[in-house]
Amino acid sequence: EIVLTQSPATLSLSPGERATLSCRASQSVSIHLAWYQQKPGQAPRLLIYDASNRATGIPARFSGSGSGTDFTLTISSLEPEDFAVYYCQQRFNWPPWTFGQGTKVEIK
Amino acid sequence: QVQLQESGPGLVKPSGTLSLTCAVSGDSITSSNWWSWVRQPPGKGLEWIGEIYHSGNTNYNPSLKSRITISVDKSRNQFSLNLTAVTAADTAVYYCARFRCSSTRCYAGFDYWGQGTLVTVSS
């Protein structure tokens, strides 16, 4: 099973600041990685698929990069609605498809 | 607009069977996509449970494989989850989700999700 480790666990930032979230895989997942945003009481929302492609309707301030074992989600300038929990997920080596444990982006 | 809607009992007794259905609208269950179940215990992270293709092919999480059955009902455009021998550890919000594939490739990411349904295992 591929383990995804996200860091940091919590990121405390102010609106307008840049957020950089990391996801490291225990073995290569090529580019088969996705990022999600989840707000309390809501389902996860797909932000990035195949490591670097923004999903439909996702603002340009969200970007993904990386391949192999190291991936980054960057939010260029935090908006108030971006404070949430973010998960990475791999779909390369199965079963099972696995998620990271999440990074919480909170208001400083 | 693709929509997924979970339904089923919100309370299941220990050792019983959890049964949920996901109704799909805006897409055909017989399209090239895979259809998944994901769960989230209260205050915790996401766990992939399993998935089904309209042909009936399934993939299951090995940690749950002995207790899971996922099936598809093409006539109703829906798919279902059965989880047997439940314990308190199975208490979670259960989501259904779509994994997008074209005729030639799949794209990493669940692009549509249901709103989720909380299932509590308790006597």
Side-chain angles (χ1 to χ4, degrees):
Chain A
E1 172 177 325
I2 292 180
V3 176
L4 299 178
T5 302
Q6 293 187 239
S7 62
T10 303
L11 199 51
S12 298
L13 295 168
S14 300
E17 289 193 295
R18 183 183 188 91
T20 302
L21 287 68
S22 174
C23 177
R24 177 162 290 178
S26 58
Q27 58 186 279
S28 176
V29 298
S30 184
I31 62 164
H32 300 284
L33 188 111
W35 289 95
Y36 301 88
Q37 176 193 70
Q38 188 179 34
K39 297 179 181 179
Q42 296 185 16
R45 174 194 182 196
L46 179 65
L47 300 175
I48 302 289
Y49 67 93
D50 290 350
S52 61
N53 296 283
R54 272 190 303 277
T56 303
I58 301 303
R61 63 180 182 273
F62 291 92
S63 63
S65 63
S67 65
T69 60
D70 290 300
F71 299 87
T72 300
L73 174 70
T74 301
I75 311 172
S76 59
S77 178
L78 282 164
E79 297 287 339
E81 62 268 28
D82 298 337
F83 292 92
V85 179
Y86 293 83
Y87 294 95
C88 58
Q89 178 242 330
Q90 67 85 18
R91 196 179 173 98
F92 179 68
N93 191 342
W94 67 272
W97 313 125
T98 50
F99 291 88
Q101 82 281 13
T103 290
K104 182 178 182 180
V105 178
E106 65 176 23
I107 299 176
K108 187 174 181 179
Chain B
Q1 173 75 349
V2 178
Q3 291 185 315
L4 289 80
Q5 178 72 55
E6 305 91 349
S7 61
L11 181 64
V12 181
K13 288 183 169 31
S15 77
T17 297
L18 180 159
S19 296
L20 296 174
T21 295
C22 180
V24 179
S25 59
D27 188 13
S28 171
I29 203 84
T30 60
S31 65
S32 54
N33 304 306
W34 284 75
W35 306 94
S36 278
W37 290 97
V38 177
R39 70 180 182 179
Q40 185 172 38
K44 296 187 178 180
L46 299 162
E47 179 183 33
W48 176 77
I49 298 170
E51 63 187 4
I52 191 164
Y53 194 65
H54 63 79
S55 62
N57 286 357
T58 54
N59 296 314
Y60 295 150
N61 190 322
S63 68
L64 299 167
K65 188 173 183 178
S66 63
R67 299 194 290 132
I68 300 173
T69 303
I70 298 177
S71 59
V72 65
D73 185 337
K74 289 181 253 188
S75 66
R76 295 186 177 187
N77 214 47
Q78 63 187 32
F79 62 106
S80 299
L81 168 68
N82 274 8
L83 179 64
T84 61
V86 297
T87 70
D90 295 309
T91 293
V93 175
Y94 285 77
Y95 297 100
C96 55
R98 187 182 84 165
F99 175 58
R100 184 169 66 103
C101 297
S102 68
S103 57
T104 55
R105 60 163 291 194
C106 291
Y107 303 85
F110 298 109
D111 60 346
Y112 286 98
W113 295 67
Q115 86 282 2
T117 186
L118 175 63
V119 179
T120 302
V121 178
S122 175
S123 55

